[in-house]
Amino acid sequence: DRALADYRNILQYDGRNVLAYTNIAVIYFTIREYKKALYVCNLILMIDPLNIFAKETIKKIKKMLQ
């Protein structure tokens, strides 16, 4: 919870901070909030369309949700 709040705070000042979004996605994935992680990964791709972490995580989540 605290880490999520810290990363969200970073995003308030820098809404394009891919590292903050990546860490949020990792937290959501870790706590099995897969739809939230998927949403965040898609936000990452809007900022950085070639982001490998986001692409691979989306693939992994979609496979898990089938």
Side-chain angles (χ1 to χ4, degrees):
D1 245 2
R2 172 71 183 171
L4 279 174
D6 288 344
Y7 291 123
R8 287 187 186 124
N9 191 40
I10 291 168
L11 292 172
Q12 286 182 342
Y13 295 98
D14 180 9
R16 297 181 57 82
N17 188 312
V18 173
L19 183 57
Y21 279 119
T22 300
N23 288 323
I24 290 170
V26 168
I27 291 167
Y28 281 140
F29 188 89
T30 302
I31 63 172
R32 298 181 178 167
E33 292 281 350
Y34 300 123
K35 290 183 181 181
K36 289 181 182 179
L38 187 62
Y39 175 79
V40 175
C41 285
N42 281 308
L43 292 176
I44 293 169
L45 290 178
M46 290 173 63
I47 298 166
D48 178 8
L50 302 177
N51 188 288
I52 293 173
F53 165 81
K55 288 181 179 183
E56 292 299 316
T57 303
I58 288 170
K59 284 182 195 175
K60 195 180 299 185
I61 292 170
K62 285 184 176 181
K63 187 175 181 180
M64 294 171 70
L65 294 178
Q66 287 181 346

